[in-house]
Each structure stands twice: as structure tokens, then as C-alpha cells.
Amino acid sequence: MIQAIDLRLNNLVKYNNDYFKIAALTEDFPYLNNDEFGHGIVSYDNIFGIELTEDILVKCWWVKEIYEDDIWYEKTYPVIGQLCTSSKGNYIFDIETDTLRIYYLHELQNLIYSLTKQELNIQL
């Protein structure tokens, strides 16, 4: 389950084993959009984050590099930071001296948008 405060328009989420884009948000429910199924209102209890995986990162135009035994992902357009795998199975986003743990695609989307004011390019 995702909290409303963690979402913004255009975030991708999982509902009913399919990916949907957030089309609108209210305090009570999100409004989802999907090319195949169209628009719909659902409960926040029924939407979930899309876990970050290597496959998802590749679809977001990140590339893998090996650097001192760590796997790093760098964006193929203006680089603002790097992701590396952590021992806990999630990713750590490194921006110069700060690091953030990232578990889900919508978190990465929000971070990239906050830093660049551009949507993350995703080809799911």
C-alpha cells in the first residue's frame, strides 16, 4: 500500500498485477490511467509500488557499470547521481555526499523530478 503523500501525478504504480499511471490524486483515492484499461478510481489500499529491479532500471534508460565490485547505474542523459545495489537488496542513490535508499519506481521518479524538473523516461 502507498500513502497519498508519497505520490504525484504521472507516478507508475502496480494495481491488480498491472502498471498504471497516476492521473489524479485526492485525499481519499487515486485516479489511475492505463492505455489498455483506461481510467479508474481505486483505493490506496489496493495500489503498490513497483519494486526497482535491474530490468526496471534498464527500461528507465539506466546502464550497468562495474566499479570496484559494486554495480552502478548511470542515467544515459545528464547524470545527476548514481545508483548502486545495497546488501539489503535495495538501491542507494548517491548525490555527491548524500545517499538515499530507494525501493520503488515511484520513489525514483519523484527524486529525478525533484532534481531535474523532468519526468523519468520509462518504457515499460
Side-chain angles (χ1 to χ4, degrees), residues 50-54 56-57 83 89 91 102-105 108:
I50 300 168
E51 286 189 44
L52 275 185
T53 63
E54 286 189 27
I56 293 290
L57 288 171
L83 281 170
Y91 293 89
I102 298 180
Y103 300 88
Y104 300 103
L105 179 56
L108 183 60

Side-chain angles (χ1 to χ4, degrees), residues 11-77:
N11 277 151
L12 285 170
V13 294
K14 191 179 340 181
Y15 169 73
N16 222 14
N17 290 323
D18 202 359
Y19 300 138
F20 289 83
K21 188 179 281 192
I22 299 290
L25 292 166
T26 71
E27 191 174 307
D28 299 322
F29 56 83
Y31 191 69
L32 304 180
N33 184 23
N34 170 298
D35 290 338
E36 185 178 348
F37 299 110
H39 297 275
I41 295 171
V42 298
S43 166
Y44 282 107
D45 294 339
N46 295 324
I47 62 171
F48 299 92
I50 300 168
E51 286 189 44
L52 275 185
T53 63
E54 286 189 27
D55 185 48
I56 293 290
L57 288 171
V58 168
K59 291 177 180 180
C60 295
W61 303 99
W62 290 65
V63 293
K64 185 192 294 190
E65 292 183 7
I66 305 297
Y67 179 74
E68 294 180 9
D69 299 326
D70 288 326
I71 299 173
W72 292 83
Y73 296 87
E74 265 185 38
K75 213 152 186 351
T76 55
Y77 58 91

